[in-house]
Amino acid sequence: MKTVLWLTAIAAAMATPGVIAQTTPQSYQLQQVLIMSRHNLRAPLANNGSVLEQSTPNAWPEWDVPGGQLTTKGGVLEVYMGHYMREWLAEQKLVSSDECPASNSVYVRANSLQRTVATAQFFISGAFPGCDVPVHHQDKMGTMDPLFNPVITDESDAFSQQAVSAMEAQRKQYALGESYALLEKITRYRESPACKEKQQCSLADGKDTFSAKYQQEPGVSGPLKVGNSLVDAFTLQYYEGFPLDQVAWGEIKTEQQWRVLSKLKNSYQDTLFTSQQVARNVAKPLVKYLDNALVEEAGNAPKVTVLVGHDSNIASLLTALEFKPYQLHDQYERTPIGGKIVFQRWHDTTANRDLMKIEYVYQSSEQLRNTQALTLKAPPQRVTLALKGCPVDANGFCPIDKFNTLMREAAK
């Protein structure tokens, strides 16, 4: 498909060390894995009657599940990802290929929303079919687990002002005029209820207002939020496999258009969750959890830990831990649907030392849209990540002592 061809081309042009073929030395043994996952494919969060309906005179296509819930296809995609991860873990001899894991060797925890719990359940169905591997979550569904809740935890006015200033500064880094102009054309924005009833007729000329209130997620009202909701809906339509004449009403016809639109969605996430002030605060519960599981109690931790949350969790975590910039090939989302940050502790038996390798494992746009099964021979995408202050070698490994130091410092 044209979109995928563009993504392939852009990836080739922007190749980074993260996409160079790597090998694992024979003397390395995988000891522990922690997977921080985003939920898989869901229906748009903004339902008809909300910002989507207000932003266009066009009718939106119907989804088979309520807004925000994991779709049937999202479940299938996650089963495929689970199947692949089981094959890979078995190849590395961390789990058996033909036996259920011991009760204390795999631990799964999901945020207590339908799309995250269901993602975890489908992942386990693919990874350990027929096995009794429970998914832990809060009893009351629809409430946010504090581990995954990216809310401001500093109640001081000074911090709130600093966070808002940081978000405003982050927003200024992005030139979105072209993106808004294209979005207005695609949605026929000047004929929308927002324009006719509220006299909000230009996204490009609108003003964003940011908020960082105690016990609330970082927020924004204005064109950035509207643009993110619209582009998110188009992206999900494409992944779900809607006919191309129904994806954005058939108005996205070129690679360049997808490229321009994706800037809106990525800048929304970056603006809200990747300034240092905000990220360190909202990601603190996750950082402390990872420090405990991978550093302080690594010797007693399960062999495999799976955490299922949201793109905001991954974006803020990557910033809070100071990961270096990365480029995901064959994708235009910075934190793709169903994508996983995979922390791997390895032991080098020759040198008697431990190492850490961290990869972004995710499904490409083509794999998502075409519901491609994943195996060792037809794998998902894998990009090696690197932490600032923890340089990786040619095969993507970082000395464990440097990783431990960084984690302990971040968890303070």
Side-chain angles (χ1 to χ4, degrees), residues 14 63 65 89 97 132 180 187 253 375 383:
M14 301 180 67
W63 288 71
V65 297
L89 291 170
S97 61
D132 184 16
Y180 283 135
T187 60
K253 302 179 185 298
T375 66
V383 170

Side-chain angles (χ1 to χ4, degrees), residues 229 309 391:
S229 296

Side-chain angles (χ1 to χ4, degrees), residues 113-131:
L113 302 180
Q114 185 272 351
R115 61 183 176 276
T116 42
V117 172
T119 293
Q121 291 170 333
F122 281 114
F123 179 87
I124 292 303
S125 294
F128 307 107
C131 299

Side-chain angles (χ1 to χ4, degrees), residues 125-158:
S125 294
F128 307 107
C131 299
D132 184 16
V133 179
V135 174
H136 297 85
H137 60 86
Q138 294 186 142
D139 289 338
K140 189 175 181 181
M141 291 290 288
T143 61
M144 294 291 286
D145 183 330
L147 181 63
F148 302 104
N149 198 7
V151 296
I152 301 295
T153 57
D154 188 325
E155 56 185 320
S156 69
D157 290 338

